[in-house]
Amino acid sequence: MNVTEKLDRIATEPFRLFFPLGIIASMIGVLLWPATFQGWIDYYPLEAHARWMVLGFAGSFIVGFLGTAGPRLLGTKPWSVPELVLHSIMALAMMGSLLFNLIPTADLLAGLWLLGVLSSLLVRTFFGREDIPPPGLPLAVLGIAGAGLSGIALSMGSALNFSLPTYLFLRLLYFQGLLWLPILAVAPYLLPRFFGRSSPHSFPESTTIPDGWMRPFIESIVAGLLLIASFALEAWRPGPFGMILRSVVVALHLTRSVPGLVAWSKVNALGLAVRWVLPCAVGGWLLAVVFPPLRIGMLHLMFIGSAGLLMLAVASRVILGHHDRHDRLASPLKWFHWVWGLLIFTAATRLTSDFVLEVRITHFIYAAILWVLILAFWSWKIRRELKQPPFEEGVIKSRCPRRRQAATRSGKAGHPTAPEKGISR
């Protein structure tokens, strides 16, 4: 495959570039804390860290997903190579600014980057579309537009001289709106597949609005507007009500629109991980309500244990699916239990550091190192998954004679004398 063919393939499936870019960005973002405590950098990295994680990590995953899935959902052509190059340069420029702690410049570039990605999506929505988008997709547009405009506005904050409530509202739209509006948009369409359920946001291909489409569309718009209202409430009416409203909106919308999310049915590790997303999100917001002085630490349960975990679960499905390894998605994927378990432990390590000041610095360092190790492990296992033999339900996979005999005796092996082709390498 020559360079032109590789670029065309990446433009068709931008996750191939933006997922690894997001992994690298997040590793840099968390390692700023050990670097600070060791005296390797001469600035306090709170603002840079937040942007590396939300814009660099989550932003790259969101752009990679929507850049790949958006054209398919709309039945239109994928990104062109010039679009891919432009969006990549803008993302790298934003991250380059963060490397030098140039926060206003990074915000401006992030805003332009997100609005550029949005324009690619909107052009395909209004021109050359052969299918109606899922009813929740406008929320992704709202989230990217809101974050993009907020980034540009925050970059000019010293000149515009915002009031404190306006400044807080822009930050909430920038850091939490970019995460949760796209999540509310995509979750009803994608997440039911993790539980073997059909999606209430999936409709037959059509260029006109099909029957039943308007109701989930209206529900999605209401949820999105209420989410934004929770940001405004938190900014202009300081107190618990903004985060309480946010918790209620997210909980109601996801439980209503994602069949299987709140259930006891048996699922593989990816499905079980996704079931932790809602309790971690609501738990993070409510802990921030209960412990207002420790708000930033408490919200890490939402950022890491919910949004971060969801990004990795969805990315796992996207990568395996686009490599035609749907058989592996049907497998137990037991190694992903380590991913979600350690991610929640990392969030707990970070939030507990604010309760015991004596261990605060060491907990910051442990949480940062854990995050890096988790992403390195996830990346390694995903690469190995692509090389695994086909998964066959009931075929014994282990090379260990004891395990094969035990599985045969317990009746867990559907084919106790199955040929060796079902055994993992």
Side-chain angles (χ1 to χ4, degrees):
M1 186 182 294
N2 58 37
V3 175
T4 301
E5 291 173 335
K6 288 181 178 179
L7 285 174
D8 285 336
R9 187 182 186 188
I10 296 173
T12 301
E13 299 175 334
F15 78 87
R16 297 179 182 276
L17 172 64
F18 283 100
F19 285 3
L21 188 60
I23 294 294
I24 294 170
S26 73
M27 289 183 174
I28 295 172
V30 296
L31 291 176
L32 289 177
W33 293 113
T36 298
F37 300 134
Q38 294 298 319
W40 298 337
I41 58 177
D42 58 359
Y43 60 88
Y44 192 70
L46 180 61
E47 293 295 329
H49 166 76
R51 286 161 175 81
W52 276 113
M53 300 305 291
V54 174
L55 297 164
F57 171 63
S60 292
F61 272 60
I62 291 168
V63 168
F65 177 84
L66 290 177
T68 301
R72 287 173 168 80
L73 293 174
L74 296 169
T76 186
K77 62 181 181 180
W79 281 5
S80 65
V81 171
E83 283 177 299
L84 173 70
V85 171
L86 174 62
H87 300 327
S88 304
I89 289 174
M90 294 302 296
L92 291 170
M94 179 266 292
M95 294 178 192
S97 299
L98 288 177
L99 279 175
F100 296 97
N101 199 37
L102 302 174
I103 301 302
T105 303
D107 286 341
L108 176 62
L109 292 170
L112 295 175
W113 170 48
L114 293 174
L115 293 181
V117 171
L118 180 63
S119 68
S120 291
L121 182 61
L122 290 179
V123 165
R124 285 163 175 77
T125 301
F126 294 109
F127 302 100
R129 174 176 56 82
E130 296 181 358
D131 195 8
I132 197 77
L137 193 61
L139 291 190
V141 172
L142 193 60
I144 296 173
L149 293 173
S150 296
I152 294 172
L154 289 171
S155 73
M156 300 183 288
S158 57
L160 297 177
N161 195 24
F162 296 119
S163 66
L164 180 59
T166 302
Y167 173 73
L168 293 176
F169 175 74
L170 290 173
R171 286 181 65 89
L172 288 167
L173 201 56
Y174 196 38
F175 291 117
Q176 294 192 40
L178 178 61
L179 293 176
W180 285 99
L181 286 166
I183 287 174
L184 295 184
V186 173
Y189 181 82
L190 180 63
L191 295 192
R193 303 181 191 185
F194 285 76
F195 314 114
R197 306 288 188 89
S198 59
S199 167
H201 282 218
S202 181
F203 292 89
E205 185 173 321
S206 173
T207 56
T208 59
I209 295 177
D211 292 339
W213 188 91
M214 285 301 299
R215 179 172 178 175
F217 168 73
I218 293 172
E219 290 177 348
S220 297
I221 294 297
V222 169
L225 293 178
L226 286 174
L227 189 73
I228 295 173
S230 77
F231 300 150
L233 189 60
E234 183 176 341
W236 273 276
R237 292 290 183 270
F241 300 109
M243 280 186 280
I244 291 175
L245 175 60
R246 198 169 313 143
S247 301
V248 171
V249 169
V250 170
L252 286 179
H253 185 68
L254 291 184
T255 53
R256 278 183 53 83
S257 61
V258 182
L261 182 63
V262 181
W264 294 103
S265 58
K266 186 178 180 180
V267 290
N268 70 358
L270 283 182
L272 186 57
V274 169
R275 284 180 176 161
W276 280 101
V277 168
L278 185 54
C280 285
V282 173
W285 285 316
L286 295 183
L287 282 172
V289 168
V290 175
F291 303 102
L294 309 180
R295 175 180 177 275
I296 293 177
M298 301 304 101
L299 287 177
H300 276 74
L301 182 59
M302 177 271 293
F303 283 120
I304 298 174
S306 181
L309 175 57
L310 182 61
M311 301 289 172
L312 292 182
V314 170
S316 301
R317 187 173 187 91
V318 170
I319 293 169
L320 292 176
H322 280 267
H323 283 86
D324 294 323
R325 294 312 309 264
H326 295 89
D327 62 293
R328 300 307 302 173
L329 289 171
S331 72
L333 290 175
K334 293 180 180 180
W335 61 267
F336 203 84
H337 289 302
W338 285 98
V339 174
W340 68 257
L342 287 173
L343 273 177
I344 294 175
F345 180 74
T346 301
T349 300
R350 171 59 186 88
L351 68 87
T352 54
S353 67
D354 289 346
F355 289 101
V356 186
L357 295 181
E358 291 81 2
V359 299
R360 191 166 189 265
I361 291 177
T362 55
H363 275 218
F364 268 54
I365 295 173
Y366 294 156
I369 293 173
L370 265 175
W371 177 267
V372 172
L373 291 176
I374 291 166
L375 292 193
F377 173 72
W378 175 80
S379 302
W380 173 65
K381 291 298 291 186
I382 284 292
R383 288 181 63 87
R384 282 180 59 85
E385 281 293 335
L386 299 177
K387 300 175 183 178
Q388 291 297 310
F391 172 74
E392 297 177 52
E393 186 70 38
V395 176
I396 302 172
K397 305 292 182 181
S398 176
R399 288 184 180 275
C400 174
R402 284 187 176 182
R403 291 185 180 178
R404 291 176 63 84
Q405 291 171 8
T408 302
R409 287 196 302 269
S410 64
K412 292 181 180 178
H415 304 282
T417 59
E420 290 296 308
K421 69 176 182 177
I423 298 176
S424 298
R425 293 189 182 93

